[in-house]
């Protein structure tokens, strides 16, 4: 048995190594899958925000150059004057846009909301004042390169507590292709447009246009752009710019009043860019150049309403908001960092992904955090299968261990049984031989002594016959070669035969047999089996009760419902509680000092159980309240013969 335990332990250790490896890598793969899935949908969320911002910039880039200034009423086909129909002449529909305006080369500004800055309608006064303040700060920033801001290009970064070495996406996309991202939401390069004189007059007054033939400042278009973004002013002569030379050549000299003859102007339009005014205002603008004069056109963005709009539109109300937190922040130099956030609490995030949006919204940084990554459907299936496997494997292994132990114990009991049978057969044979020799030598000197010797010989031969018969019956029952021959009766013939067989043995051991039999209707039983059952039970009581103060065996038979209960009780020491259910097992003997000193084969009570089962009944044992124990055989009261 110790060797078997060692093999089972070794088997568990060997099996645990590949099982642990398999489970570790399976759960690791699921973790990577869950992270990749969350990363994909986080990037999808950012892409949706980016698409809205891109549409906003494309709409701004598509505007005419004179849309940012006030356009007077035009005369319709019916001869009536119609108010301006352009969208920018009305209050912005988006709550996060303060207003639109144009910054002129001289630092002044124009707004499409009013025609005369000296006469501002009361309903527009607050907005115009705020735009004036924005224009003042902007003028200071574009001339002071120390205060100019540089918004970094778009970046995308993912951080997690446990970074996987190989991402699932690597199986489908090359690294560079998968990480590529736009650097700008709108145009990347400046463009040239031809605009009619009427549009040019809306942007700049006639006098200013006619003065454009004068020598342009020495600061080039590119030099001023660099100053706007903080990279320093470049000193170039306008005559060195081939683009402007071609523009002058195409437009001609306008100083001689030839403006009215001019049909179009060439305008240089830069991509949209942004500059932070203060903690709550950011200017999104473009530069247009008309004959060397720079105008800046754009709108003022209200930071917190803008970030709240992105949260509400794209994140709040989405299922992922239940387990992730989205934070939107504005990056800036030497300024407070406005932050808005929504979603679940993420104090110790296991997953983080950052994105800074492309130009001109490179000041917006989005961060998605998650404490608990939603489990995939495969994880639940794996957990179930691991649990089922454990429920099957460990009980199965325990059952194998117990079965092997039971087989080993049975083998030991069989070996003990062979030794016991040999001893049990040898004892009556020795007694028979001894008494025969005594008779042969004439030791019995009178007929009375001879009759006593013959009774002993008869008793020992009967004992030997019963032992051999028990072994044969046990073998037949194990091989299922013995079937019960059921005949109806009342057990009277059985009790009579048992009394006759056991009378001499009871007399020798000094036991009294009491029979308590109630009137019972005839019921089916196998006569030979019942005789052997009662004899085996009596012999068992005789062996273990011979040291009792009161030597008495009680046999009772009475009906109980549809059953007939046959009980045999003694006045012996009883049976240990833990062994009450084991005494009917094959070759089982109670491990006690008294049992070890008592002869027996361990098949007597096992044979009783097999006989009772063959007749459709059962057997049980229980200790008496005072001394001794009682074994009960229950047989069905009626059956079809």
């Amino acid at each position: 048995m110790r060797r078997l335990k060692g093999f089972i332990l070794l088997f568990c250790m060997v099996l645990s190594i590949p099982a642990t490896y398999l489970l570790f890598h399976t759960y690791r793969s699921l973790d990577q899958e869950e992270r990749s899935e969350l990363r994909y949908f986080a990037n999808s969320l950012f892409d949706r925000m980016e698409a809205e911002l891109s549409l906003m910039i494309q709409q701004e880039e598509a505007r005419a150059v004179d849309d940012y200034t006030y356009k007077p009423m035009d005369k319709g086909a019916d001869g009536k004057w119609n108010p301006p129909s352009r969208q920018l002449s009305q209050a912005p529909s988006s709550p996060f846009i303060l207003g639109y305006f144009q910054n002129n080369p001289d630092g002044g500004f124009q707004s499409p909301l009013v025609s005369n800055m000296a006469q501002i309608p009361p309903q527009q006064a607050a907005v115009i004042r705020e735009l004036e303040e924005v224009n003042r700060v902007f003028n200071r920033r574009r001339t002071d390169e120390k205060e100019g801001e540089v918004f970094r290009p778009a970046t995308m970064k993912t951080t997690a507590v446990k970074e996987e070495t190989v991402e699932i996406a690597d199986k489908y996309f090359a690294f560079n292709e998968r990480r590529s991202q736009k650097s700008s939401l709108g145009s990347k390069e400046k463009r040239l447009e031809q605009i009619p004189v009427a549009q040019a007059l809306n942007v700049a007054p006639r006098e200013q246009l006619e003065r454009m033939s004068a020598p342009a400042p020495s600061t080039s278009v590119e030099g001023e752009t660099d100053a706007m973004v903080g990279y320093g002013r470049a000193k170039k002569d306008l005559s060195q710019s081939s683009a402007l030379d071609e523009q002058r050549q195409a437009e001609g000299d306008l100083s001689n009043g030839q403006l009215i003859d001019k049909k179009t102007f060439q305008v240089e339009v830069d991509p949209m860019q942004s500059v932070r005014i203060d903690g709550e205002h950011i200017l999104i603008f473009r530069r247009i150049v008309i004959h060397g004069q720079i105008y800046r056109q754009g709108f003022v963005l209200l930071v917190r309403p803008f970030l709240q709009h992105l949260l509400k539109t794209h994140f709040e109300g989405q299922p992922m908001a239940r387990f992730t937190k989205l934070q939107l922040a504005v990056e800036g130099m030497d300024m407070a960092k406005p932050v808005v956030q929504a979603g679940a609490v993420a104090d110790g995030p296991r997953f983080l992904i950052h994105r800074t949006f492309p130009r001109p919204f490179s000041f917006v940084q989005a961060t998605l955090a998650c404490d608990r990554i939603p489990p995939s459907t495969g994880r639940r299936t794996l957990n179930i299968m691991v649990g089922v496997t454990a429920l099957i494997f460990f009980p199965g292994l325990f059952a194998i261990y117990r079965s092997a132990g039971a087989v080993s114990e049975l083998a030991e009991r069989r070996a003990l049984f062979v030794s016991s049978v040999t001893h049990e057969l040898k004892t009556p044979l020795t007694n028979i031989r001894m008494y025969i020799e005594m008779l042969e030598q004439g030791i019995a000197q009178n007929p009375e002594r001879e009759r006593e010797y013959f009774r002993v010989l008869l008793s020992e031969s009967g004992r030997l016959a019963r032992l051999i018969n028990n072994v044969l019956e046990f073998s037949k029952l194990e091989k299922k070669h013995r079937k019960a021959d059921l005949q109806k009766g009342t057990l009277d013939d059985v009790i009579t035969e048992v009394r006759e067989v056991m009378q001499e043995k009871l007399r020798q051991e000094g036991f009294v047999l009491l029979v308590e039999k109630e009137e019972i209707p005839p019921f089916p039983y196998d006569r030979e089996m019942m005789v052997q059952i009662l004899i085996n039970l009596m012999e068992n009581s005789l062996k273990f009760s011979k040291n009792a103060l009161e030597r008495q065996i009680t046999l009772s038979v009475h009906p109980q419902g549809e059953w007939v209960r046959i009980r045999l009780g003694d006045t012996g020491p009883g049976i240990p509680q833990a062994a009450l259910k084991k005494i009917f097992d094959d070759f089982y003997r109670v491990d006690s000092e008294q049992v070890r000193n008592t002869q027996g084969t361990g098949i007597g009570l096992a044979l009783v159980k097999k006989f009772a089962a063959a007749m459709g009944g059962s057997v049980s044992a229980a200790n008496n309240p005072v001394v001794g124990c009682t074994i009960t055989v229950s047989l069905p009261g009626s059956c079809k013969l």
Side-chain angles (χ1 to χ4, degrees), residues 74 180 244 255 278 364 372 377 465 474 478 520 626:
D74 55 351
S180 61
L244 293 180
S255 61
D278 54 34
V364 179
R372 181 184 57 85
T377 54
F474 185 85
E478 272 198 330
I520 57 173
V626 182

Side-chain angles (χ1 to χ4, degrees), residues 201 204-212 259:
L201 289 173
R206 175 185 294 268
E207 296 80 6
Q208 188 175 0
L209 289 176
E210 290 178 346
R211 289 197 304 269
M212 287 182 181
L259 178 61

Side-chain angles (χ1 to χ4, degrees), residues 232-249:
R233 291 187 173 91
K235 304 299 182 179
K236 291 184 180 179
D237 192 275
L238 189 59
S239 60
Q240 296 176 358
S241 175
S242 59
L244 293 180
D245 286 343
E246 293 175 2
Q247 179 176 334
R248 284 203 195 91
Q249 213 172 27

Side-chain angles (χ1 to χ4, degrees), residues 160-233:
V161 175
K162 296 181 180 178
E163 282 290 348
E164 58 270 21
T165 57
V166 179
E167 294 184 2
I168 294 177
D170 289 325
K171 297 188 295 185
Y172 304 101
F173 294 106
F175 182 85
N176 292 334
E177 178 183 356
R178 189 162 49 84
R179 296 294 192 273
S180 61
Q181 188 185 4
K182 296 187 295 185
S183 61
S184 176
L185 294 178
S187 300
K188 296 182 180 180
E189 304 293 338
K190 61 183 65 178
R191 70 180 188 274
L192 297 178
E193 292 184 5
Q194 298 293 332
I195 64 171
V197 175
Q199 278 189 310
L201 289 173
N202 287 333
V203 176
R206 175 185 294 268
E207 296 80 6
Q208 188 175 0
L209 289 176
E210 290 178 346
R211 289 197 304 269
M212 287 182 181
S213 59
S218 60
T219 303
S220 70
V221 175
E222 293 183 3
E224 201 280 331
T225 302
D226 291 342
M228 278 299 302
V229 295
Y231 292 108
R233 291 187 173 91

Side-chain angles (χ1 to χ4, degrees), residues 137-138 140-153 224-232 273-285 303 330-338 359-360 362-364:
V137 176
F138 178 68
R140 188 180 74 244
R141 289 187 180 279
R142 72 184 179 89
T143 58
D144 187 357
E145 63 180 11
K146 292 183 180 179
E147 297 187 21
E149 287 190 89
V150 179
F151 289 115
R152 294 185 293 275
E224 201 280 331
T225 302
D226 291 342
M228 278 299 302
V229 295
Y231 292 108
Q273 54 187 295
S274 59
V275 63
R276 186 167 180 180
I277 303 300
D278 54 34
E280 296 297 333
H281 300 86
I282 290 179
L283 177 61
I284 310 293
F285 69 98
V303 174
V330 172
E331 290 187 325
M333 296 171 22
D334 301 327
M335 291 187 180
K337 185 177 181 180
R359 184 173 57 86
S362 53
F363 57 85
V364 179

